[in-house]
């Protein structure tokens, strides 16, 4: 019935993402148990607790990018494009087929290295882009 996934990314409010190792039905069962536990403990707490004054959470102010970060942000876009071109070039070469095992292994290692570098730079770019928009 639910053999499609074994890990879930649960999207919570305010952009929070939580990982869950298990199937969707397991997640639903856990969610129901949590809701029941919260409802029973909330009713017990309502009887015992006095209302507390409302406290405003601290407001997060978006910090603008420094000059160095702005330069890095702009440079990352070009680096990511270059990396993607190199990845595409190696991938197409590997897809065509290579008879020399040593060359194929070298290209595979280069591809893995480029993809790891691309992932790192993409994450940094997303972080800076988020702060720049903030």
């Amino acid at each position: 019935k639910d053999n499609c996934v074994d890990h879930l990314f649960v999207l919570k409010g305010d952009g929070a993402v939580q990982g869950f190792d298990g199937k969707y039905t397991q997640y639903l069962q856990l969610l129901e148990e949590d809701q029941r536990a919260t409802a029973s403990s909330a009713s017990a707490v309502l009887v015992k607790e006095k209302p507390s004054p409302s406290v405003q959470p601290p407001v997060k102010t978006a910090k603008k990018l420094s000059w160095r970060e702005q330069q890095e942000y702009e440079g990352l876009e070009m680096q990511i494009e270059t990396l993607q071109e190199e990845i595409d070039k190696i991938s197409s070469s590997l897809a065509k087929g290579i008879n020399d095992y040593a060359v194929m292994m070298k290209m595979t290692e280069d591809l893995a290295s480029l993809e790891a570098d691309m992932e790192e730079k993409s994450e940094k770019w997303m972080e800076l882009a988020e702060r720049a928009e903030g």
Side-chain angles (χ1 to χ4, degrees), residues 109-121:
E109 290 172 3
D110 291 345
L111 182 62
S113 174
L114 288 170
E115 287 174 341
D117 196 24
M118 172 85 151
E119 180 71 23
E120 180 182 320
K121 289 184 186 307

Side-chain angles (χ1 to χ4, degrees), residues 46-74:
L46 288 176
V47 173
K48 295 178 183 178
E49 276 189 20
K50 295 180 183 177
S52 62
S54 62
V55 177
Q56 295 288 337
V59 177
K60 293 182 181 179
T61 56
K63 185 177 178 184
K64 293 194 175 196
L65 297 178
S66 67
W67 181 83
R68 186 186 68 73
E69 290 172 328
Q70 182 66 34
Q71 296 301 313
E72 181 181 13
Y73 175 64
E74 292 169 1

Side-chain angles (χ1 to χ4, degrees), residues 21-85:
D21 288 323
K23 301 192 182 298
Y24 184 68
T25 53
Q26 293 170 328
Y27 172 71
L28 289 178
Q29 290 171 349
L30 181 67
L31 192 61
E32 287 177 14
E33 291 172 7
D34 285 347
Q35 288 175 347
R36 279 190 231 129
T38 303
S40 64
S41 65
S43 63
V45 170
L46 288 176
V47 173
K48 295 178 183 178
E49 276 189 20
K50 295 180 183 177
S52 62
S54 62
V55 177
Q56 295 288 337
V59 177
K60 293 182 181 179
T61 56
K63 185 177 178 184
K64 293 194 175 196
L65 297 178
S66 67
W67 181 83
R68 186 186 68 73
E69 290 172 328
Q70 182 66 34
Q71 296 301 313
E72 181 181 13
Y73 175 64
E74 292 169 1
L76 281 172
E77 292 176 355
M78 293 187 327
Q79 291 174 12
I80 289 171
E81 282 181 32
T82 304
L83 283 170
Q84 187 61 51
E85 290 170 3

